[in-house]
Amino acid sequence: MAYTCLSCESLKATLIANPDSVTVIDIRDQGSFDAGHIGSARHVDNSSVDAFLLQADKLKPLIVCCYRGISSQGAADYFNEQGFQSTYSLDGGYEQWKLLP
């Protein structure tokens, strides 16, 4: 396991303190992303992952968000293998995120 799990509360605090310090990607389907997502998140799926890998700053921490924090674990591990220095799986995913005050 080459990624770390990150709580929604920790991500929210990071985004409030320094929103440009991390990259957030959302790997849910386009319809779910369009219905709601973390404000700074970028939608990445199988059709856009190659372009994302070419453009992304691999030195910046990468937080991967999915529905409930399960699929993001494998994706975070994959992105770590692609050269990202720090990868994180968002615990509870977007379903947990949207419950934050």
Side-chain angles (χ1 to χ4, degrees):
M1 178 169 74
Y3 64 89
T4 304
C5 291
L6 182 71
S7 72
C8 290
E9 294 81 7
S10 292
L11 176 57
K12 184 175 181 180
T14 298
L15 291 176
I16 289 170
N18 190 356
D20 295 328
S21 66
V22 297
T23 300
V24 180
I25 62 169
D26 191 320
I27 61 169
R28 297 175 301 144
D29 67 88
Q30 186 68 54
S32 296
F33 181 82
D34 291 344
H37 58 273
I38 297 169
S40 61
R42 176 176 172 182
H43 183 250
V44 175
D45 61 12
N46 289 338
S47 67
S48 62
V49 69
D50 290 335
F52 172 73
L53 288 170
L54 288 173
Q55 299 169 355
D57 180 352
K58 293 181 179 178
L59 298 177
K60 192 184 273 192
L62 177 69
I63 293 88
V64 183
C65 175
C66 65
Y67 293 98
R68 292 179 184 83
I70 307 296
S71 299
S72 59
Q73 294 175 18
D77 198 36
Y78 168 78
F79 285 111
N80 181 269
E81 292 171 0
Q82 301 309 306
F84 284 84
Q85 298 295 309
S86 304
T87 57
Y88 298 86
S89 170
L90 187 63
D91 274 343
Y94 185 72
E95 291 301 310
Q96 183 68 37
W97 174 267
K98 68 183 183 180
L99 298 175
L100 291 177

